Amino acid sequence: MTDDDQVLELQTETDLPDLIARTAGTLRGLADQLEQGTLVDPVEWVIPMSDIGTERMHDHCDAIATRLGKKHLAVYAICFDDEVPLDRVYAVVDGNKARNKTLPVHERRAFARVNKRKGCLGSRCLYVGKSEKAAERLRQHLIEAHPATFAVHLNQWPSDIPGNLIVKVIGVAGVQSILLPFIEDQMASEMPPILGKRGSV
């Protein structure tokens, strides 16, 4: 078989002109599956910013774990109430990022990515995420994750910021976990987060 024959065979097998149409069909199928799902047991917790870095954060995380259990397929958002000054939030986010870069590589933390300010300006959403173990993942954000795990790492934040964190968790039922990124992305487009990956699907 010549190289030209191999190229021709590839084009025949994949039917290149219809590739986009087939991809669109697959996405429509995923959308149909997603529509069979339901949102269940939405719940939120109000956590004083002054509790950051204290033992009280463990109490908050324990309460979340008690409510959600070990396995809870969900999307979530970590937000601020109106009392939290956003300019202070931006200063902390930028300061953590800058300080982290000055550390030796083995001492750095995997802080969640800082999104472009113009894309989330005025948003009171810090982070949007998804997890099959929502309580465990929230504990990583609200207290501390392994240094190599991307998270908010709130224990690295000051505790003198006024106001409250609002932690919102929405359970998802009737869909495969591989479809959660679509719901996460929809939430992130509606309440653009200051931190975290966007456009994961």
Side-chain angles (χ1 to χ4, degrees):
M1 181 181 291
T2 67
D3 288 345
D4 288 343
D5 290 337
Q6 288 177 335
V7 170
L8 182 60
E9 183 177 323
L10 174 65
Q11 289 175 339
T12 302
E13 285 178 1
T14 58
D15 198 11
L16 292 178
D18 293 331
L19 181 59
I20 289 178
R22 291 198 313 277
T23 304
T26 298
L27 290 174
R28 277 189 287 272
L30 292 173
D32 290 342
Q33 290 178 44
L34 195 51
E35 284 192 322
Q36 302 306 308
T38 54
L39 301 179
V40 296
D41 195 25
V43 63
E44 70 177 41
W45 288 267
V46 178
I47 301 174
M49 295 290 289
S50 59
D51 286 357
I52 288 174
T54 72
E55 285 301 310
R56 291 188 295 276
M57 288 304 283
H58 291 278
D59 296 335
H60 294 301
C61 289
D62 289 345
I64 292 171
T66 297
R67 175 67 185 269
L68 300 181
K70 284 190 175 182
K71 286 198 122 184
H72 191 81
L73 189 68
V75 288
Y76 60 86
I78 301 171
C79 303
F80 300 110
D81 70 8
D82 291 340
E83 300 303 312
V84 176
L86 290 180
D87 58 342
R88 186 78 193 283
V89 170
Y90 299 147
V92 170
V93 165
D94 295 342
N96 281 346
K97 180 179 178 182
R99 276 191 302 278
N100 203 45
K101 284 184 175 180
T102 66
L103 295 173
V105 173
H106 67 279
E107 293 180 20
R108 294 179 187 172
R109 295 186 179 280
F111 284 106
R113 186 183 79 183
V114 179
N115 291 319
K116 290 183 179 178
R117 199 63 35 83
K118 66 180 181 181
C120 57
L121 195 63
S123 174
R124 294 204 157 266
C125 180
L126 178 64
Y127 189 91
V128 170
K130 65 183 181 313
S131 182
E132 295 182 54
K133 298 179 179 179
E136 179 182 320
R137 183 63 176 135
L138 283 167
R139 188 181 293 271
Q140 293 175 340
H141 291 303
L142 298 177
I143 301 177
E144 184 174 23
H146 185 279
T149 299
F150 283 97
V152 175
H153 298 283
L154 269 179
N155 70 322
Q156 300 294 312
W157 286 52
S159 60
D160 64 342
I161 300 175
N164 299 290
L165 282 174
I166 310 293
V167 178
K168 305 177 183 184
V169 179
I170 305 170
V172 181
V175 299
Q176 299 176 39
S177 61
I178 60 169
L179 296 178
L180 277 187
F182 292 97
I183 304 173
E184 178 191 27
D185 277 2
Q186 184 63 35
M187 286 179 61
S189 69
E190 294 175 1
M191 45 194 302
I194 296 167
L195 299 175
K197 184 174 65 172
R198 297 282 305 277
S200 57
V201 295

